[in-house]
Amino acid sequence: SSDVCSSDLELDTRHVAYTLNSFLRSENLTREIQVSINQRGVAVSISDQFLFSPGRADLRPEGQRALYKISELTRDKVPAVAVEGHTDSGILNGGIYRDNWGLSAMRAAAVASYMESAGRFDPLKLQATGFSSSQPIVPNDTSEHRALNRRVEIVFLSQYPKR
């Protein structure tokens, strides 16, 4: 019955979150990367400073290492992955991305691309979206808050999105 499926997914959600949190604790990465469970699945929020240099969308080596391990731990356990780029509300002056829409979209694409190439994720499971500054988690009123809003969220979806 459909009830059995949904409870299995719930169990997987907890298992994936537990596995990721164990890895993050063992690598001392709990400040840079946070794991939470929400109605969509397991959300992994990664600080932009850990993944990228300011205003850039190429992954730093330590970001690559963490994404590689995260991919390894989840690749065969999740039906689909939404990679979502977020910026603060600061104005992007020049640069190749022109504005926060371009930067957030390119950062999400860079993470999804790495998860496919190095992390060996099936590309049919991946989607990448840029949200610019439209979904802050705190007000953009201090430098600490702006830093929290600059993030990439990898959401391991508990079910395959309907297309």
Side-chain angles (χ1 to χ4, degrees):
S1 83
S2 62
D3 292 349
V4 175
C5 290
S6 60
S7 65
D8 286 351
L9 288 174
E10 222 172 298
L11 190 70
D12 285 349
T13 306
R14 283 198 296 272
H15 178 70
V16 167
Y18 175 82
T19 305
L20 290 170
N21 273 318
S22 300
F23 158 67
L24 295 175
R25 276 194 301 275
S26 71
E27 297 290 317
N28 264 342
L29 292 173
T30 51
R31 287 195 56 207
E32 292 85 1
I33 306 174
Q34 278 89 41
V35 177
S36 59
I37 295 175
N38 61 31
Q39 69 279 9
R40 296 170 67 203
V42 179
V44 178
S45 183
I46 310 176
S47 99
D48 79 316
Q49 302 98 309
F50 180 70
L51 289 174
F52 307 104
S53 299
R56 304 281 303 264
D58 40 335
L59 288 164
R60 299 173 61 199
E62 54 269 43
Q64 290 183 353
R65 279 193 296 276
L67 286 173
Y68 182 84
K69 189 66 180 168
I70 288 169
S71 296
E72 204 175 54
L73 293 169
T74 57
R75 184 188 314 120
D76 305 320
K77 298 180 178 67
V78 296
V81 186
V83 183
E84 301 171 346
H86 300 271
T87 63
D88 62 22
S89 59
I91 306 296
L92 215 60
N93 288 320
I96 58 172
Y97 302 111
R98 295 209 352 254
D99 62 20
N100 284 320
W101 286 106
L103 181 62
S104 64
M106 274 309 297
R107 285 180 165 181
V111 170
S113 173
Y114 186 83
M115 290 176 76
E116 178 189 353
S117 58
R120 299 200 316 281
F121 253 91
D122 177 348
L124 295 176
K125 288 184 173 188
L126 291 163
Q127 53 180 295
T129 311
F131 283 104
S132 184
S133 59
S134 67
Q135 295 188 2
I137 46 179
V138 291
N140 282 294
D141 53 2
T142 65
S143 58
E144 290 81 10
H145 280 176
R146 284 188 291 278
L148 288 172
N149 288 329
R150 293 191 307 271
R151 67 204 187 276
V152 171
E153 288 185 1
I154 302 170
V155 186
F156 296 105
L157 301 169
S158 53
Q159 58 198 68
Y160 198 82
K162 294 174 183 49
R163 295 190 189 278

